[in-house]
Amino acid sequence: MNQTDLTQRDGLPDALRILLEQYPRDIWQSHRNFDGLTRFWLERHMMFRQALGQWQADTRAFLDKGRDARAHGQQTARLGGFLINELHGHHQIEDAHYFPALTVAEPRLAKGFELLDADHHALDSELAALTDAANTHLRALGDRNADTRANAARMLAQLDGFERFLNRHLLDEEELVVPVILHHAPRL
């Protein structure tokens, strides 16, 4: 198994877990350096997970319970646009600003920040596929002859697949970034 490929890994490679061993997840919030930046970062990640979960739940409600097509279309456009745009912006800021600063602070983990950058590129293609699935579904909702259930099912399958990629990336990013911030907070 390739431990650097987002589609195959089940966690950070051991060589990138050096600070995580010193700063395990269960002590993060009680650590003296757990401040606004760390809290903000983790809240953003939770927001992404929640938006994705709401989009999945709304799509399941459409498929399983006959949720109103118009309301479902509005929710798909709102949640989809929000999630996709926010993820793109978040990744751009990380790649351009945070990851370079964190690499300078902790050069031993430079390969980890390269891994996260590569994840962002892999997620870009997943986000493009998700955008296509959502747009196809939204067009189908406006077409009386389209099979809206089949399009919703395809979009939901894309959402479910994306969830696996996103969760793996977010967990790995948290386990690399947060320990670096906790360790180097006074100098960052």
Side-chain angles (χ1 to χ4, degrees), residues 73-112:
Q74 290 172 340
Q75 190 75 323
T76 294
R78 185 181 70 76
L79 287 170
F82 172 80
L83 179 64
I84 291 164
N85 289 328
E86 289 295 318
L87 279 169
H88 278 302
H90 184 72
H91 292 161
Q92 288 171 344
I93 290 168
E94 288 174 335
D95 292 341
H97 301 286
Y98 288 117
F99 293 170
L102 293 170
T103 300
V104 168
E106 190 56 62
R108 297 178 297 171
L109 296 176
K111 292 284 186 207

Side-chain angles (χ1 to χ4, degrees), residues 28-74:
W28 291 354
Q29 290 191 14
S30 64
H31 193 278
R32 70 183 182 282
N33 291 335
F34 187 87
D35 66 2
L37 175 60
T38 312
R39 187 177 318 283
F40 172 75
W41 200 302
L42 293 172
E43 286 172 355
R44 297 292 292 175
H45 284 192
M46 183 57 64
M47 178 191 69
F48 298 141
R49 290 175 176 113
Q50 289 171 340
L52 179 59
Q54 289 172 346
W55 191 2
Q56 289 168 302
D58 186 77
T59 304
R60 285 187 182 95
F62 176 75
L63 286 167
D64 300 339
K65 300 175 186 107
R67 173 145 162 68
D68 176 71
R70 181 182 166 100
H72 167 66
Q74 290 172 340

Side-chain angles (χ1 to χ4, degrees), residues 77-149:
R78 185 181 70 76
L79 287 170
F82 172 80
L83 179 64
I84 291 164
N85 289 328
E86 289 295 318
L87 279 169
H88 278 302
H90 184 72
H91 292 161
Q92 288 171 344
I93 290 168
E94 288 174 335
D95 292 341
H97 301 286
Y98 288 117
F99 293 170
L102 293 170
T103 300
V104 168
E106 190 56 62
R108 297 178 297 171
L109 296 176
K111 292 284 186 207
F113 294 109
E114 290 172 14
L115 175 84
L116 296 176
D117 181 72
D119 285 0
H120 291 170
H121 294 289
L123 284 165
D124 280 346
S125 65
E126 291 295 320
L127 285 168
L130 185 54
T131 300
D132 289 344
N135 286 336
T136 298
H137 178 55
L138 289 171
R139 283 190 299 275
L141 288 171
D143 181 351
R144 292 178 192 245
N145 298 319
D147 185 349
T148 57
R149 292 184 54 74

Side-chain angles (χ1 to χ4, degrees), residues 113-187:
F113 294 109
E114 290 172 14
L115 175 84
L116 296 176
D117 181 72
D119 285 0
H120 291 170
H121 294 289
L123 284 165
D124 280 346
S125 65
E126 291 295 320
L127 285 168
L130 185 54
T131 300
D132 289 344
N135 286 336
T136 298
H137 178 55
L138 289 171
R139 283 190 299 275
L141 288 171
D143 181 351
R144 292 178 192 245
N145 298 319
D147 185 349
T148 57
R149 292 184 54 74
N151 281 297
R154 280 191 289 278
M155 183 179 73
L156 183 58
Q158 192 72 40
L159 285 165
D160 290 346
F162 180 71
E163 179 183 29
R164 286 188 307 276
F165 293 123
L166 182 64
N167 281 335
R168 176 75 275 141
H169 169 70
L170 293 177
L171 285 170
D172 291 349
E173 185 173 280
E174 291 163 3
E175 291 184 349
L176 189 68
V177 168
V178 172
V180 172
I181 293 172
L182 295 179
H183 189 74
H184 294 283
R187 294 184 300 270

